[in-house]
Amino acid sequence: LVSEALLPYAQRGVRCHYLANIDGSEFHELSANLRAETTLFIVSSKSFNTLETLKNAMAARTWYLAQGGSEAELYRHFIAVSSNKAAAVAFGIREENIFPMWDWVGGRYSLWSAIGLPIALAIGTANFKELLSGAYTMDQHFQTAPFDKNMPVLLALLGVWYGNFWGAQSHAILPYDHYLRNITKHLQQLDMESNGKSVLQDGTPVKTNTGPVIWGGVGCNGQHAYHQLLHQGTQLIPADFIVPVVSFNPVADHHQWLYANCLSQSQALMLGKTREEAEAELRGKGLNEADIEKLAPHKVIPGNRPSNTLVVERVSPRRLGALVAMYEHKVFVQSVIWGINAFDQWGVELGKELGEGVYQRLIGNLECSAEDGSTQGLINHFRSRHRG
C-alpha cells in the first residue's frame, strides 16, 4: 500500500517488490524481473517462523545461488526484520544484518516499525519520517480532540450506528486514486483481522454484530461493476470515498472528471431518484404513458445511502500516514465499544496449525486420516494426481 501510494516520491535507482504469497507462480513472475547482483532480500517476519515467509526466503536463497551468487556473498543480499534474532541467525542471516522489532506489534499495525524498512528504502528516510509524522499528528488528534470533532471516533460511531442499528453487514472503501489502489486490501486486514471476533474480552459471547466485511476498489472502475448494488441493491452498505484534489500526473481534464465522478457517486447515493422524477425524465424523452408505467419502477433509486467523503490535497507521505493511522484508531474505537480484543487473531492461527497436518498427509509422512472425511477426500485426490 505505502510503497505504491508514494510512488511519486520513490528514490531513483531503487525498485521495491513484495512477495507474501506462497504460490510459486508469483515467485517465478517476480524473480524473472530481478538481477541477483543488484537485489537485496529483506526477510520480514516478527516470529521468524511464518511458513510463507520462510519458504519464499529459501526460494530466494536458492534462486540467488543459481543465478551465480556465492555463499560467501550471501550476507550482502539477505537481511531480516524480526523479534526472533536467534531464529534469523539460525536461518543464515548475520546478526548485524537483523533489524529488531517489538514482539507485541501485530503485522497489520507494523508498517511504522522496522517492518517499514522497505518503505524507507523506497522513498528515502526523510519521506519515511514524514509518514511517521503524519501518523503521529493523527495520534495526537485522536488522543486530544473532543469526541464530536474526533475523526477516528466519529468514523467508528458511524460504523457502529449503521452496523448495529441499521443492519449493515459490509463497508465499501472506494479510493479515487490509482496510487491508493491497495488501501482497500490493507483496510480489509486491519479491520477484519482485528474485529472479526465473537467473544468479549472476558470470554463470554458477544451480543451484537462486530466487524463488517470490508471490500471495494478503485472508484471509477467500481462504477461499472458493484456501484449498481450500492445504489439499488437491497442491502445497506456504507461507503468511504477517498479522493485527492491534486493529481501527480495531470492529463488534459482527466482529474476534473475523476473528482466529479467521486462527488456525483456520493451525491447519487444520498439523493437517489424518486418515482416522480423518473416518470418526468421518461416523459421528457417522449415515451408514452404505458411505457413510462412499465419502465419507471426500474429507474427509481432509493437514496439516503450513507457515505463519507475523505478529501486530501494530494497523497503525500504525511497525509498518507495520517490517513492510515486514522483507520487504525477507528478500528480500535469500535473494538472498545463492542468489548472485543482487536489485537489477537486466533482464527488465523488455527488454519496454520491444521495446515501442518494436511501437508504431512499430502507428502505421505502421516498415514492416519484427517479429522474429517471431506478434507481426507481432497488429500486423496491430490496424492492420486502426484504419484510417481
Side-chain angles (χ1 to χ4, degrees):
L1 159 67
V2 177
S3 295
E4 286 184 354
L6 299 179
L7 195 61
Y9 297 86
Q11 300 263 76
R12 286 187 179 180
V14 178
R15 288 189 302 142
C16 191
H17 308 274
Y18 291 89
L19 181 65
N21 195 350
I22 201 172
D23 189 333
S25 296
E26 186 170 353
F27 179 85
H28 171 79
E29 293 296 330
L30 193 155
S31 60
N33 296 315
L34 302 179
R35 291 170 52 205
E37 63 269 28
T38 59
T39 301
L40 174 69
F41 295 97
I42 304 173
V43 185
S44 299
S45 175
K46 181 175 66 173
S47 63
F48 219 84
N49 63 17
T50 302
L51 174 69
E52 299 93 331
T53 307
L54 296 186
K55 286 293 179 182
N56 282 330
M58 289 299 298
R61 177 192 175 104
T62 302
W63 174 86
Y64 167 78
L65 295 173
Q67 296 296 311
S70 68
E71 292 276 358
E73 294 289 301
L74 266 174
Y75 76 95
R76 300 183 63 188
H77 294 269
F78 282 82
I79 64 177
V81 178
S82 181
S83 63
N84 190 345
K85 187 178 291 187
V89 170
F91 177 84
I93 295 176
R94 290 190 176 183
E95 188 168 345
E96 62 267 27
N97 285 356
I98 300 171
F99 290 76
M101 65 175 294
W102 303 291
D103 61 4
W104 46 264
V105 177
R108 55 199 180 275
Y109 298 99
S110 65
L111 71 89
W112 322 105
S113 71
I115 289 288
L117 178 60
I119 301 170
L121 294 176
I123 65 175
T125 304
N127 284 322
F128 185 68
K129 288 181 177 178
E130 281 289 293
L131 179 78
L132 298 182
S133 178
Y136 178 76
T137 301
M138 182 57 69
D139 294 345
Q140 296 304 300
H141 166 77
F142 174 54
Q143 284 190 311
T144 61
F147 284 175
D148 61 346
K149 293 181 173 60
N150 193 305
M151 288 183 69
V153 171
L154 291 172
L155 289 173
L157 291 172
L158 284 169
V160 170
W161 174 242
Y162 291 120
N164 294 131
F165 294 87
W166 287 92
Q169 296 183 329
S170 73
H171 190 106
I173 304 295
L174 309 172
Y176 277 70
D177 185 274
H178 175 69
Y179 291 127
L180 283 177
R181 61 192 178 277
N182 260 332
I183 194 169
T184 303
K185 294 179 182 178
H186 178 73
L187 297 182
Q188 276 181 332
Q189 184 190 12
L190 171 64
D191 200 315
M192 296 171 74
E193 193 166 80
S194 295
N195 287 346
K197 310 294 168 58
S198 55
V199 296
L200 301 173
Q201 291 268 18
D202 63 7
T204 59
V206 299
K207 294 182 174 60
T208 61
N209 288 334
T210 57
V213 174
I214 302 296
W215 61 282
V218 174
C220 269
N221 294 344
Q223 291 174 192
H224 304 281
Y226 42 78
H227 280 226
Q228 169 60 34
L229 187 142
L230 296 177
H231 289 295
Q232 286 186 299
T234 57
Q235 300 181 50
L236 178 72
I237 303 175
D240 284 2
F241 293 85
I242 306 172
V243 61
V245 175
V246 179
S247 172
F248 279 104
N249 302 291
V251 176
D253 59 353
H254 287 208
H255 194 69
Q256 287 86 337
W257 276 113
L258 179 78
Y259 199 87
N261 269 273
C262 177
L263 299 191
S264 63
Q265 287 293 307
S266 63
Q267 184 181 33
L269 285 172
M270 177 176 64
L271 297 180
K273 181 184 290 185
T274 65
R275 176 68 179 261
E276 292 74 18
E277 289 171 333
E279 290 178 354
E281 180 183 285
L282 294 171
R283 286 192 188 96
K285 293 180 178 180
L287 273 71
N288 61 50
E289 289 302 314
D291 287 339
I292 290 173
E293 183 69 21
K294 186 183 301 183
L295 187 55
H298 300 279
K299 295 179 72 70
V300 172
I301 300 169
N304 199 29
R305 300 288 173 97
S307 71
N308 303 306
T309 302
L310 304 170
V311 180
V312 296
E313 184 67 19
R314 63 164 41 180
V315 183
S316 66
R318 179 179 286 269
R319 295 187 183 98
L320 181 66
L323 182 67
V324 174
M326 178 192 74
Y327 277 110
E328 288 185 351
H329 295 312
K330 171 204 168 181
V331 168
F332 169 70
V333 171
Q334 290 182 329
S335 76
V336 173
I337 293 172
W338 290 320
I340 59 178
N341 185 352
F343 304 107
D344 61 18
Q345 55 280 329
W346 296 114
V348 177
E349 300 301 324
L350 174 61
K352 292 180 181 179
E353 293 164 9
L354 294 173
E356 176 64 27
V358 172
Y359 173 78
Q360 294 300 330
R361 290 180 177 90
L362 288 177
I363 64 174
N365 286 351
L366 197 60
E367 293 301 330
C368 63
S369 295
E371 293 80 0
D372 65 280
S374 173
T375 303
Q376 186 59 47
L378 295 168
I379 290 171
N380 293 342
H381 176 72
F382 182 91
R383 293 187 65 179
S384 71
R385 303 291 290 179
H386 287 269
R387 287 195 181 118

